[in-house]
Amino acid sequence: MTPREAAQIEAEKTYDQFIRWTKIACTWIAIGLFVVVVGCNNGVETGKGATGSKYNGEVYSPTNIGETK
C-alpha cells in the first residue's frame, strides 16, 4: 500500500467519524434546547399567585362614556 492510499483510507475514516460525532452532538444540543424551552414555558402563568400577562378587563373598561352631567 502506498502512502497516498493509506492517507486516503485514514482521511475517509476520520471524515466518517467526524460526521458521526457532529450528528450526535447536534442531536444532544437540540434535545437540550428543547428541554430548556419547554421547561421555561411550561406552566407559566398558572396556579396561585400567577402574575404577568393575564387579561384584566377592568383596566380596559371605558368610563365616563355616554354619561350626561
Side-chain angles (χ1 to χ4, degrees), residues 5-33:
E5 292 170 336
Q8 181 68 28
I9 292 169
E10 184 64 29
E12 289 173 357
K13 186 174 86 173
T14 303
Y15 178 75
D16 289 339
Q17 287 296 316
F18 171 76
I19 294 297
R20 179 177 178 262
W21 284 106
T22 301
K23 287 180 181 179
I24 291 171
C26 288
T27 301
W28 280 108
I29 289 169
I31 290 170
L33 286 173

Side-chain angles (χ1 to χ4, degrees), residues 46-69:
T46 60
K48 184 178 179 185
T51 61
S53 62
K54 287 184 170 181
Y55 177 76
N56 183 357
E58 293 177 6
V59 173
Y60 304 106
S61 65
T63 58
N64 298 328
I65 295 179
E67 294 180 8
T68 56
K69 294 184 179 181

